Structures are given as C-alpha cells and as structure tokens.
C-alpha cells in the first residue's frame, strides 16, 4: 500500500490496531458475514451482505445493504454516508476508524477473536467474568461509540468512567442504560448523568460485571435515543459558548421580583430553585434542577436577561458577568 492511503483500523471486534486496506480491493469493498466478501466479520449481528464501501478517486462512500442491525458512523445510524479521515464506523460488534495506514495489515480471510463474545439473552447464557472485564481510553474510543457498541452487543454490567470532569457509572442491562450516576450524587437525575458522562472527551473506562443494584428511577429510553439526545445537548451547549456564566457564580432572586406570569414552566422551576437555595452556585443549580443542563441554561439565561436573577456579590445581572468573563 502506498503511503497516505486510508485504511480501516479496528478499535474493537478484532485485534485492536489491525488495519484493513480499502484500496487493495478495487472500487468496491463488500463487508458482511459471507465467506466470499472482501471484509468478513464473523459476527451474528452482521448480515451476510451487510455494507459496502465505494472507493472513487479519493472519495469513500459507505452504504447499508439492507442489513438488520444497520451501520453507524460516529454513533449515528446511517443508510449511506461519505466517510472522512477520523470517522468511526460500527458494523455489528466491530468498531473501525478511517485513518492513514501505519502498516499493520489484515488479510482478507484472517478470522481473529471478537472482542465481544455472543450476547446474553433473557433466557440464557451468561458471560464469564473474565470476558465482562475490559477497559480502554475515551480518546481512542469515544463514549458515544462505546455505548452504541455495548448496546448492539446487548452487554450487561457497570461501565465505570474516570475523567477530569468526574467519576461516572453507567448501569447496563442487555445493552440498555438503566441508570447513571456521577460521584454517587443522589440529587442528579440519572438521565442528566447519562448526558454529562457521554460528553466527556478524555479519560478512561472499564466495564465490570453487573453488581445487582436496583434503582427506583430506572431509565426506559432506547440507548440510541439517549445517545442522540446527549449529542444534541452537547452541540447546543457548545453553541452558547461565551453566553454561559461561570459555574462558580452564585445567584439570588431579584427584589422586587418581576411578574411570574411572564415565565414558562421551565423558567419557573429554575427560579424556584434559586429562591429556595439563595446564593447557590450555577454548578449546584445544574445538579438540583430536574431539567437537563441545556434547558436549565436556557431558562437561566432568560431569567438573567429579564431581570429575575442577579449574581449574589452585586446587583449586576448574571448576563453581564458572563460577558465580562
């Protein structure tokens, strides 16, 4: 392979780091479980003819061939997509990344051990404890992709995440996230904890066996829905940028308070927390609010613009402090 060509490098599903040379197979690379295809994935979650990648003058187009479990690009399920260097592609329990080759080649029919063994079933077989323990780096396998992979694999266990932003746990049952916590904080709604943990971009993870804990507030959403909403929250909060006040800022309710009838339900909820816990920090407010962080921030910014809340140190609106920082 000539220098600079792109390859699929396996992050999970085969020996990590092994590469598949796309351009060695001509204009089309066929992927699936059938033995006569170019890239054979010996995986029950992969259809016989699952997907193909069309290589044409430096353009890489991936297409789902009507598979049962679909293909995911950067944790988004797609029917077809143009691939760019750095994109992550999940097919069944294999996670690959489109990168410039470093020369660790994978032969066409080289069947190696899957990272994930066959899934558990409601009826059935449980995995050995040794196979339930694996770890990795968030920088190498982002949590969005990892959780999508665990969902596809129908894994059960506790995903422990260590990051600069905190220590989090995602509880999984047959691929579904049933609960989440950060620093075992009982005030933090588990759905909000999921969104925050998935947004962490640096750190490490380890999947441990399920510990048998039961929770009153179990989550019911499909994993894909939680992933997509977490992505949306992260993107929208990033767009707010400098509009957001610092998290250590402390808040008080304005006196006299403007008419409450002008506020919607979410804005009233946030105002009630600030009134109940005067001089609380925005960080604490985000934890106490039953709303996701995005909706809490939006309500807070409206309250600041409309003169309902101020920073505790002086009568300056929260919004003006955000502009100064």
């Amino acid at each position: 392979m000539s220098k600079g060509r792109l390859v699929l490098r396996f992050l999970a599903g085969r020996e990590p780091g092994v590469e598949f040379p796309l351009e060695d197979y001509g204009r089309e690379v066929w992927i699936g479980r059938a033995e006569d295809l170019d890239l054979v994935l010996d995986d029950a979650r992969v259809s016989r003819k699952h997907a193909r990648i069309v290589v044409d003058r430096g353009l890489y187009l991936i297409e789902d061939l009507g598979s049962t479990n679909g293909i995911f690009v950067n944790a988004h399920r797609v029917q077809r997509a143009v691939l760019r260097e750095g994109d992550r592609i999940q097919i069944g329990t294999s996670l690959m990344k489109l990168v410039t080759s470093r020369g660790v080649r994978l032969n066409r029919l080289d069947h190696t051990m899957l990272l994930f063994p066959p899934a558990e079933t409601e009826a059935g077989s449980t995995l050995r404890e040794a196979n339930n323990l694996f770890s990795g780096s968030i920088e190498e396998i982002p949590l969005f992709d990892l959780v999508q992979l665990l969902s596809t694999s129908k894994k059960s266990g506790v995903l422990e995440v260590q990051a600069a932003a905190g220590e989090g746990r995602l509880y999984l049952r047959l691929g579904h996230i049933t609960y989440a916590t950060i620093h075992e904080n009982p005030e933090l709604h588990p759905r909000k904890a999921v969104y925050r943990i998935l947004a962490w971009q640096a750190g490490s993870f380890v999947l441990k066996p399920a510990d048998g804990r039961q929770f009153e507030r179990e989550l019911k959403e499909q994993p894909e829905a939680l992933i997509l909403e977490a992505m949306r929250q992260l993107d929208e909060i990033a767009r707010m940028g400098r509009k957001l006040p610092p998290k250590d800022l402390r808040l008080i309710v304005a006196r006299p308070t403007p008419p409450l009838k002008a506020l919607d339900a979410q804005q009233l909820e946030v105002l009630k927390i600030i009134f109940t816990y005067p001089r609380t920090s925005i960080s604490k407010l985000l934890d106490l609010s039953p709303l996701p962080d995005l909706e809490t921030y939006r309500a807070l910014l409206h309250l600041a613009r409309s003169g309902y809340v101020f920073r505790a140190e002086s009568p300056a609106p929260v919004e003006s402090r955000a502009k100064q920082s």
Side-chain angles (χ1 to χ4, degrees), residues 67-108:
S67 68
T68 301
N69 294 309
I71 56 177
F72 295 84
V73 175
N74 299 326
H76 289 279
R77 184 164 181 165
V78 299
Q79 179 60 39
R80 61 180 59 85
V82 174
L83 299 175
R84 296 174 176 82
E85 186 169 7
D87 283 347
R88 301 173 304 278
I89 302 100
Q90 182 198 335
I91 298 177
T93 57
S94 290
L95 180 63
M96 300 157 277
K97 188 173 184 179
L98 190 65
V99 296
T100 300
S101 174
R102 62 187 182 198
V104 188
R105 299 280 292 274
L106 171 66
N107 295 328
R108 178 174 176 173

Side-chain angles (χ1 to χ4, degrees), residues 36 46 69 87-88 141 144 174 193:
D36 59 344
V46 175
N69 294 309
D87 283 347
R88 301 173 304 278
I141 304 181
F144 289 118
L174 296 173

Side-chain angles (χ1 to χ4, degrees), residues 41-286:
L41 300 177
D42 188 11
D43 180 350
R45 297 169 197 85
V46 175
S47 300
R48 287 184 57 78
K49 288 187 177 179
H50 196 107
R52 68 171 179 170
I53 297 177
V54 177
V55 181
D56 185 14
R57 290 170 293 184
L59 183 70
Y60 298 79
L61 174 68
I62 191 167
E63 179 182 13
D64 189 342
L65 300 176
S67 68
T68 301
N69 294 309
I71 56 177
F72 295 84
V73 175
N74 299 326
H76 289 279
R77 184 164 181 165
V78 299
Q79 179 60 39
R80 61 180 59 85
V82 174
L83 299 175
R84 296 174 176 82
E85 186 169 7
D87 283 347
R88 301 173 304 278
I89 302 100
Q90 182 198 335
I91 298 177
T93 57
S94 290
L95 180 63
M96 300 157 277
K97 188 173 184 179
L98 190 65
V99 296
T100 300
S101 174
R102 62 187 182 198
V104 188
R105 299 280 292 274
L106 171 66
N107 295 328
R108 178 174 176 173
L109 296 179
D110 178 17
H111 298 284
T112 53
M113 185 69 70
L114 292 177
L115 173 63
F116 297 111
E120 304 166 87
T121 63
E122 291 285 359
S125 59
T126 58
L127 301 175
R128 291 178 299 165
E129 182 173 328
N131 286 330
N132 262 345
L133 285 169
F134 71 93
S135 60
S137 162
I138 298 172
E139 292 92 334
E140 185 69 16
I141 304 181
L143 291 173
F144 289 118
D145 294 278
L146 177 62
V147 170
Q148 182 62 62
L149 197 62
L150 295 173
S151 171
T152 302
S153 307
K154 300 188 182 299
K155 297 287 285 184
S156 297
V158 183
L159 185 67
E160 295 186 358
V161 183
Q162 298 283 340
E167 299 177 2
R169 288 185 175 88
L170 297 174
Y171 293 81
L172 297 112
R173 184 188 304 133
L174 296 173
H176 288 258
I177 300 173
T178 59
Y179 195 78
T181 182
I182 298 174
H183 295 304
E184 298 290 343
N185 181 358
E187 296 174 338
L188 190 64
H189 193 283
R191 187 177 298 104
K192 184 184 297 188
V194 172
Y195 297 156
R196 289 189 188 178
I197 292 171
L198 292 182
W200 294 348
Q201 299 178 1
S204 62
F205 63 83
V206 57
L207 180 67
K208 295 183 177 181
D211 59 13
R213 292 178 63 181
Q214 300 292 320
F215 303 98
E216 292 183 3
R217 297 190 294 181
E218 284 202 357
L219 300 173
K220 304 299 183 183
E221 293 93 334
Q222 291 293 319
E224 190 172 344
L226 285 171
I227 292 170
L228 290 175
E229 178 58 21
M231 287 179 168
R232 186 186 75 87
Q233 294 257 337
L234 181 62
D235 289 344
E236 292 295 325
I237 290 174
R239 287 193 188 98
M240 291 180 177
R242 292 180 61 82
K243 292 181 181 179
L244 299 179
K247 288 186 177 181
D248 61 351
L249 193 69
R250 298 186 178 275
L251 306 170
I252 55 174
V253 175
R255 304 289 187 174
T257 307
L260 299 182
K261 63 182 181 181
L263 301 178
D264 64 23
Q266 292 186 342
Q267 294 156 3
L268 282 170
E269 184 67 44
V270 173
L271 185 65
K272 181 175 72 174
I273 295 171
I274 300 171
F275 179 81
T276 305
Y277 301 92
R279 298 181 182 274
T280 191
S281 67
I282 289 177
S283 178
K284 184 69 172 178
L285 170 65
L286 290 168

